[in-house]
Amino acid sequence: MLFDIVYGWRKWQGQRLKWFTLVLGLALFCALFSLTLNLFREINNESPSWVGNTKPLVTIAAIGISGQIKKQTRYNIDLLNKHPAVNNIASLSFQTKNITVNDIAFQKTSLAFYSTNLPVLLELPAPFSADSFVKNNVYISDAFWQYQLNGQDNIIGKTLLIKGQKLLVAGVMPANMNNVNQYKVDVWLPDSFLSLYVPEFIPDAKPFLNSKPDYFGFAELSKSVNTTDLQEYFREQIDTYPNHEAIFVKEHDAPWLIAGIELDPEAKKVLIVQCWTLIFLIASFGFIIFSTIFSIYSQQLIDRKAEFSLKIALGAKVSDLVNRCLAENFMMALTSVVFSIFFIFLLKSILQDGILYQRYFSSDFELNWFNWFVSLVISQLFFFSCTLLPLLKLNRNNSFSRSSLGSKTKLQTLFSQGNLVLQLCIATLAFVFTTNVFISEWQKQQINFVNPAVISFNFNKIKDAQVYLSEQQKKGDWSNQKQVELAIAYNPFTNLDDSSLSYNLTADATNDGFNVSGTYVSSNYFSVLDIPIVVNGIFTKNTFAINIAFAEQLKSQGMIAAEQPLSALIGMPIKVNSFPSASYYPIAMITENAPHHGVGKGNPVVYLHYANIHTMIIYKVLPIFFSKEKSTQEALNVINNWVKHETVNVNPYQLQSTLKAQIFALNLGGRLLFVTSGFMALIILVLLALTLYYQVKANLMREKNKYGVMLALGINQPALFLRIFKKLLLSLTMALPMAWMVLQSLESVTQSYLSISLLLMSSFLACSFLVFLFVLLFGGGAIITLIRLPISTLLTQQE
């Protein structure tokens, strides 16, 4: 046995690079297959692992203008309890507060305030219990205990001080509850303590807390109910039973329900797209790798069949030959197993350390080793089956014969050509898919209608901050500060939805109107950020600027006639509702759709002048600064000089990032999808080259006697090359239409699941040409290698 293992390692001494590539490909296939299958299973769970309730559950939230999930009011959450299918309602509020634990102060600690029945409704694990709320128990997260409190053994029973209220730490939560989707949680405590943060001038805390949009709700259903129907019922309840005691009445976000316990559906959607992409590419990769192995062993079939025929003729047993084949390939099989385990831990580490995974999942990635074992067994069985191909051929004829070694049957010819057609078809599909992913993600990287190099500067606000801005500075005029041009805004560039703006077409409208994104900006905001002006005007105090998307929306709502140009909106007034009062001013300017919500997303946006921020709050508002100065430090010096002389309780500003980085951050999975798709496509390219070379070489070696005779009879090598190469072109001609038909059948699926179109003729032609080049280079290379052999070599048994 040991001799056969060493013999097998030495036998392919000159081809170890080829075999090593195949072994690595096989190992990578097993690792990717098991990881992707496991990730797909985890993503499709409707609830996190720490939720014990298996009954139908829904998450109660709100949805913003650009589709982001937001918090809801507790009053609205309770309205859903009227539905007959709802058994129970609970809520959870995430806050950032200062606390003290065991006389140690912690700033900006992440707290989760849970309602009375949340532990029972979700069936939360220990140390939660049914009477947790009654006892006012406080629980700390495992991460907070380990990293902030250094894993103190006697933490249970210690004092936690919050807003002057003494509480006792009753337990440490499981590690998988360190996060609830994107929300980090350091401390879990009853929501009754939210009353500690109600301002003293509020006479009744309940209306204040119930009307504040600070909660996510969770409902347990007695039976499965269509989420769309339940959401429609929820909307009707909110319209029918408005909160007349509300302190916060500006609720512009629409009510929204999500099946299961889900606070971050956007990240889930990105991960699902990533999984489907990987599944498609892994399927293509698997077919190519297995076809390559089959092709290489088919090429060896002639020599090994002659060898085994001779051994059987000399009295060897078939079982001995089987054992020898298995032993010869033992080293390659063992290597694939070892590298497969290595790839699993490497890919697992990369996956769980990624921002997207950490945002969505609250614990480390748990691998289901059964998936890996199944993929490994299937791949190894196929691998060893290929090594036994010569023995399978010998079952038909146990006698030693050379007569049939130089030709193929019609069935063998058809099978060989069909296999090559499938390989070329699948390779083309994989390349087209990857190319379209590249194009889609590349388009998302192309930032238009704003200067991506503009830098924003953010603040670190502390309590009771006060600021002063002159009228010139509100316009963006900082000419007395070393000629540095700075623009200011109320919101960061990619966060315009927190202003909670809405609008009405008439001044006397009393309802909240239509939702719209927007912010307060200085007069020079558009010139500093290089946002193109479509319809020019003078943007000053008591005027609005709007983007094209908002102008089109106003036109569709009948503000101007359908045949009128958008410029007709200039001078027409609209009512914009903002806290604490509404504004009724004319439209002064129309701009391009700057990518505030991401590349290619033209959401309606209204720009209000910074000087129109209400006098009641403007002295508390810290502006966001923007600059395109080459000297970042010079701009920062001007800002912090203003902070030093014109503000109170404001820390120095810091560089935030470029607009390019902020816009790219909105596309969570784009770069990940780009990298993984490119990596898989590169591997498929390498394997396709190997497959073409050895598949063609194996086919030619079976008919080398025929080609030797043809050369001996006088046909020249170029003519013989063209004659053989025509067969490869025939296979490619059959593969390309087949690939196009498959793309057409997959178009609706990729559009709905991946938001990617596969029917781009330019990418299909480019990928077809790439496959043709591979056929020419590697298929043609195999042909040239064969026909350059001496005729005497072609007419003999040995290669």
Side-chain angles (χ1 to χ4, degrees):
M1 173 67 79
L2 182 60
F3 172 79
D4 291 333
I5 292 174
V6 175
Y7 174 79
W9 176 249
R10 291 178 177 175
K11 185 175 181 64
W12 315 116
Q13 188 169 0
Q15 305 176 25
R16 284 180 187 166
L17 180 60
K18 171 186 69 179
W19 286 110
F20 191 67
T21 304
L22 289 174
V23 166
L24 286 182
L26 202 61
L28 186 60
F29 170 77
C30 294
L32 285 171
F33 176 83
S34 54
L35 280 172
T36 303
L37 194 62
N38 206 73
L39 179 62
F40 194 75
R41 181 180 58 83
E42 284 198 26
I43 293 173
N44 281 280
N45 289 335
E46 288 195 345
S47 300
S49 58
W50 45 266
V51 175
N53 194 341
T54 57
K55 295 180 181 178
L57 301 170
V58 294
T59 300
I60 308 168
I63 189 168
I65 302 166
S66 57
Q68 76 279 24
I69 298 301
K70 290 188 172 184
K71 300 174 184 177
Q72 184 59 270
T73 67
R74 190 156 62 181
Y75 176 87
N76 288 348
I77 291 172
D78 291 336
L79 289 177
L80 191 61
N81 212 11
K82 297 177 179 291
H83 195 280
V86 176
N87 289 338
N88 204 353
I89 293 283
S91 62
L92 189 61
S93 178
F94 301 99
Q95 307 278 340
T96 301
K97 306 293 183 184
N98 299 332
I99 66 170
T100 302
V101 181
N102 202 22
D103 298 328
I104 303 175
F106 295 94
Q107 305 293 324
K108 297 183 179 180
T109 308
S110 301
L111 310 180
F113 294 87
Y114 61 92
S115 62
T116 311
N117 50 352
L118 183 76
V120 177
L121 187 147
L122 297 183
E123 297 182 13
L124 297 180
F128 270 113
S129 62
D131 57 350
S132 297
F133 195 91
V134 178
K135 292 182 178 180
N136 290 336
N137 289 338
V138 175
Y139 305 101
I140 61 175
S141 70
D142 180 77
F144 186 76
W145 174 55
Q146 294 283 356
Y147 301 112
Q148 300 297 329
L149 301 176
N150 299 319
Q152 297 179 18
D153 294 333
N154 56 347
I155 189 62
I156 307 300
K158 294 293 184 180
T159 300
L160 185 147
L161 192 64
I162 176 172
K163 198 72 172 179
Q165 182 78 34
K166 289 186 177 181
L167 304 170
L168 293 179
V169 177
V172 178
M173 299 303 298
N176 62 355
M177 294 185 70
N178 290 334
N179 297 77
V180 180
N181 285 150
Q182 74 270 39
Y183 294 96
K184 174 189 173 186
V185 179
D186 292 323
V187 181
W188 294 76
L189 66 167
D191 64 358
S192 57
F193 295 109
L194 281 172
S195 59
L196 297 173
Y197 298 96
V198 176
E200 295 180 358
F201 62 85
I202 301 295
D204 189 356
K206 185 176 180 180
F208 178 89
L209 294 174
N210 284 352
S211 62
K212 197 172 183 181
D214 272 351
Y215 304 86
F216 288 107
F218 309 103
E220 178 189 279
L221 307 180
S222 58
K223 59 180 180 180
S224 296
V225 180
N226 185 279
T227 307
T228 304
D229 296 337
L230 190 62
Q231 183 167 284
E232 187 61 32
Y233 173 86
F234 188 36
R235 292 174 184 268
E236 292 176 359
Q237 291 297 305
I238 293 175
D239 293 338
T240 306
Y241 302 100
N243 187 1
H244 298 295
E245 298 180 348
I247 303 297
F248 299 90
V249 295
K250 295 294 182 182
E251 300 177 13
H252 303 302
D253 298 322
W256 197 253
L257 299 182
I258 310 165
I261 305 301
E262 182 60 67
L263 306 184
D264 197 0
E266 181 63 26
K268 180 175 183 177
K269 180 181 177 181
V270 172
L271 284 169
I272 289 176
V273 169
Q274 181 68 45
C275 277
W276 277 113
T277 303
L278 282 174
I279 287 172
F280 177 82
L281 291 175
I282 288 171
S284 303
F285 174 58
F287 181 86
I288 297 293
I289 188 72
F290 289 127
S291 298
T292 305
I293 293 173
F294 182 80
S295 299
I296 292 176
Y297 275 105
S298 297
Q299 191 265 329
Q300 295 176 359
L301 177 61
I302 298 172
D303 291 340
R304 299 310 304 267
K305 182 179 177 183
E307 175 190 342
F308 292 153
S309 298
L310 180 59
K311 288 179 178 179
I312 289 178
L314 295 175
K317 295 180 180 179
V318 175
S319 58
D320 293 335
L321 296 178
V322 170
N323 292 334
R324 181 168 184 174
C325 286
L326 298 180
E328 287 176 4
N329 291 278
F330 176 78
M331 287 296 295
M332 287 183 286
L334 181 62
T335 306
S336 68
V337 172
V338 172
F339 274 100
S340 179
I341 297 175
F342 169 76
F343 282 136
I344 278 184
F345 284 104
L346 176 65
L347 295 173
K348 176 186 174 183
S349 176
I350 295 173
L351 175 65
Q352 67 185 21
D353 290 343
I355 296 176
L356 188 60
Y357 182 90
Q358 291 182 349
R359 166 177 165 172
Y360 188 74
F361 292 104
S362 56
S363 59
D364 290 343
F365 186 79
E366 296 180 3
L367 181 67
N368 186 345
W369 286 96
F370 179 76
N371 296 334
W372 172 78
F373 180 75
V374 171
S375 63
L376 184 69
V377 169
I378 293 174
S379 61
Q380 293 302 320
L381 283 176
F382 181 85
F383 187 76
F384 283 118
S385 298
C386 289
T387 66
L388 300 177
L389 280 176
L391 292 176
L392 296 176
K393 294 289 184 180
L394 287 176
N395 287 336
R396 297 182 181 179
N397 182 10
N398 290 329
S399 63
F400 175 63
S401 173
R402 299 176 183 266
S403 59
S404 62
L405 297 177
S407 62
K408 294 191 297 182
T409 65
K410 290 184 178 180
L411 183 60
Q412 288 176 325
T413 303
L414 289 175
F415 176 79
S416 177
Q417 186 170 5
N419 183 44
L420 184 59
V421 169
L422 280 176
Q423 288 174 336
L424 294 175
C425 175
I426 291 177
T428 305
L429 289 173
F431 296 153
V432 170
F433 180 84
T434 305
T435 301
N436 287 330
V437 169
F438 278 6
I439 293 173
S440 175
E441 295 306 320
W442 180 80
Q443 290 174 345
K444 294 176 183 178
Q445 312 275 336
Q446 305 309 302
I447 300 175
N448 297 316
F449 308 133
V450 73
N451 185 348
V454 169
I455 297 172
S456 67
F457 301 88
N458 212 341
F459 54 84
N460 187 11
K461 183 179 179 181
I462 62 176
K463 188 177 180 181
D464 299 327
Q466 296 184 17
V467 303
Y468 173 76
L469 286 168
S470 67
E471 292 301 316
Q472 287 76 20
Q473 289 169 339
K474 292 174 186 177
K475 297 177 183 178
D477 183 4
W478 297 75
S479 56
N480 60 333
Q481 298 285 345
K482 301 181 181 180
Q483 302 299 319
V484 174
E485 187 176 15
L486 296 170
I488 58 175
Y490 184 93
N491 297 86
F493 182 80
T494 56
N495 190 17
L496 302 193
D497 294 333
D498 285 345
S499 299
S500 298
L501 300 178
S502 64
Y503 71 96
N504 299 96
L505 300 181
T506 58
D508 55 354
T510 57
N511 58 17
D512 284 346
F514 307 96
N515 297 336
V516 65
S517 296
T519 187
Y520 293 89
V521 300
S522 57
S523 302
N524 66 336
Y525 181 81
F526 309 104
S527 61
V528 171
L529 274 65
D530 290 337
I531 299 176
I533 307 300
V534 178
V535 180
N536 213 345
I538 301 176
F539 177 58
T540 59
K541 185 179 180 180
N542 299 337
T543 62
F544 297 133
I546 62 175
N547 68 349
I548 290 179
F550 192 21
E552 294 285 359
Q553 184 167 301
L554 293 175
K555 183 176 182 178
S556 66
Q557 291 174 326
M559 195 165 181
I560 58 175
E563 63 275 6
Q564 288 184 284
L566 295 180
S567 57
L569 290 169
I570 301 299
M572 300 186 70
I574 58 172
K575 179 183 178 183
V576 176
N577 308 302
S578 61
F579 181 81
S581 62
S583 305
Y584 189 69
Y585 300 133
I587 298 170
M589 183 187 296
I590 300 177
T591 73
E592 276 287 1
N593 296 326
H596 293 288
H597 302 91
V599 176
K601 294 184 178 180
N603 296 47
V605 175
V606 58
Y607 303 96
L608 301 85
H609 199 279
Y610 203 91
N612 284 120
I613 299 178
H614 201 279
T615 54
M616 182 176 125
I617 62 172
I618 192 170
Y619 70 95
K620 293 184 177 181
V621 176
L622 284 170
I624 305 294
F625 285 86
F626 299 89
S627 172
K628 58 180 176 181
E629 298 293 331
K630 293 183 179 179
S631 175
T632 303
Q633 189 59 46
E634 186 175 345
L636 192 59
N637 290 339
V638 170
I639 296 170
N640 286 328
N641 183 59
W642 167 78
V643 170
K644 182 178 179 181
H645 295 94
E646 304 293 347
T647 68
V648 178
N649 293 334
V650 177
N651 291 328
Y653 273 66
Q654 297 176 343
L655 170 68
Q656 184 182 19
S657 61
T658 62
L659 296 188
K660 179 179 180 180
Q662 296 175 43
I663 295 168
F664 282 177
L666 298 175
N667 185 16
L668 285 173
R671 291 186 179 181
L672 180 64
L673 193 64
F674 192 87
V675 171
T676 53
S677 300
F679 176 69
M680 293 294 294
L682 181 62
I683 297 176
I684 291 174
L685 273 173
V686 174
L687 290 175
L688 179 63
L690 279 174
T691 301
L692 281 171
Y693 183 82
Y694 287 105
Q695 172 82 6
V696 173
K697 189 174 181 180
N699 294 339
L700 295 177
M701 288 301 296
R702 289 176 179 174
E703 298 185 327
K704 64 175 185 172
N705 289 4
K706 181 177 72 173
Y707 299 132
V709 172
M710 295 173 68
L711 288 171
L713 292 176
I715 187 171
N716 57 36
Q717 289 184 353
L720 182 59
F721 174 86
L722 292 176
R723 183 168 182 171
I724 301 173
F725 189 70
K726 285 180 182 178
K727 296 180 180 179
L728 295 182
L729 289 181
L730 177 63
S731 298
L732 181 61
T733 306
M734 297 170 63
L736 294 181
M738 184 186 301
W740 182 255
M741 288 188 290
V742 173
L743 290 174
Q744 287 181 318
S745 63
L746 293 176
E747 175 68 9
S748 59
V749 177
T750 55
Q751 284 278 20
S752 58
Y753 284 94
L754 308 178
S755 300
I756 295 173
S757 175
L758 299 179
L759 299 179
L760 296 177
M761 184 56 69
S762 57
S763 65
F764 179 77
L765 293 176
C767 293
S768 300
F769 181 71
L770 177 63
V771 175
F772 169 75
L773 287 180
F774 268 66
V775 171
L776 179 63
L777 290 175
F778 297 100
I783 298 172
I784 293 172
T785 301
L786 178 80
I787 63 178
R788 282 185 175 179
L789 292 174
I791 296 176
S792 59
T793 303
L794 294 174
L795 294 174
T796 59
Q797 171 61 27
Q798 298 299 323
E799 181 178 340

